[in-house]
Amino acid sequence: MAAARDLFDSRGYEATTVREIARRAGVSVGSVFTTFRSKGDVLGQVMEDRLGALYSELDRMTPRLRGSTCDRLRSIFAIHCGFEASRNRLFLAHIAAAYDWTANGDARPYGRAPRLREIISDCLADGVGRGDVDPRADMAQIVDLLMAAYAWTYRLVAWEGADAETLSGVMDRQIGLIAQGFEPRALQSA
């Protein structure tokens, strides 16, 4: 896993091969395929191992978050940006794998992160209960929009070398725009 993580982080998803992962790990290519079905599956496991710590942190922090649903979503994504700051290129590889049309169903690229989707959904459901999220809003679409905005924001890492603070600032503005679509109309006119 360490060999794969380092290669995905230094070379990216597309440029990394299973052969290189095996060579760096000191194992045969066949032994990699004994455990994993594809390169995407390897990356999925790398990210699952890595993101477990993030989800534990989010589970610990989300009950303590204050403010509106919009503010709490901003905090969730700021925590995510801060977590990924040390391995931004690895996270870019994770996002890139989401667009690998040859990936099989075993791969777990960005977007298929059920725990992150659940954390966001829980935040929105709590917002419905608190009255700052319209209960008629399409929650699945909101989650998709938030995750898509987050992935798109990482273009700034690839293109400009943006840091966590810059990413969080961009996400704050995007979350604010998305929130305008899910806030009850009475809150918007207030």
Side-chain angles (χ1 to χ4, degrees):
M1 290 294 88
R5 182 193 63 230
D6 293 344
L7 283 166
F8 289 133
D9 192 35
S10 64
R11 298 188 44 127
Y13 178 73
E14 288 296 323
T16 298
T17 65
V18 172
R19 183 174 307 286
E20 288 173 312
I21 294 169
R23 187 172 353 119
R24 173 87 53 102
V27 299
S28 71
V29 172
S31 68
V32 173
F33 285 116
T34 299
T35 307
F36 302 99
R37 293 179 189 235
S38 66
K39 177 173 71 169
D41 192 25
V42 174
L43 178 61
Q45 186 62 52
V46 165
M47 293 308 293
E48 187 174 312
D49 292 350
R50 179 167 161 38
L51 292 174
L54 169 64
Y55 299 146
S56 293
E57 177 69 5
L58 287 171
D59 286 341
R60 188 178 70 76
M61 293 299 297
T62 51
R64 298 178 181 159
L65 298 177
R66 300 291 175 250
S68 68
T69 298
C70 182
D71 291 336
R72 288 179 291 128
L73 287 168
R74 287 173 171 149
S75 295
I76 288 168
F77 282 100
I79 292 167
H80 205 303
C81 287
F83 179 84
E84 292 302 343
S86 66
R87 293 264 187 191
N88 275 335
R89 292 178 68 183
L90 179 61
F91 195 66
L92 282 170
H94 186 52
I95 292 168
Y99 298 97
D100 178 3
W101 61 272
T102 65
N104 62 24
D106 297 325
R108 295 176 305 271
Y110 178 80
R112 286 191 184 165
R115 186 62 190 119
L116 180 57
R117 297 180 77 80
E118 182 181 0
I119 289 167
I120 297 167
S121 295
D122 289 349
C123 182
L124 291 167
D126 185 55
V128 169
R130 294 163 22 105
D132 66 352
V133 173
D134 189 331
R136 296 168 299 176
D138 186 333
M139 300 305 163
Q141 286 293 329
I142 296 167
V143 172
D144 282 347
L145 279 169
L146 289 164
M147 291 187 67
Y150 188 62
W152 180 243
T153 300
Y154 268 80
R155 79 194 184 286
L156 300 173
V157 172
W159 300 348
E160 302 170 9
D163 61 9
E165 185 177 340
T166 301
L167 295 176
S168 289
V170 171
M171 273 307 292
D172 284 354
R173 291 187 297 279
Q174 292 174 343
I175 291 168
L177 290 170
I178 294 168
Q180 289 176 13
F182 66 65
E183 291 174 341
R185 296 295 170 223
L187 287 178
Q188 289 180 7
S189 60

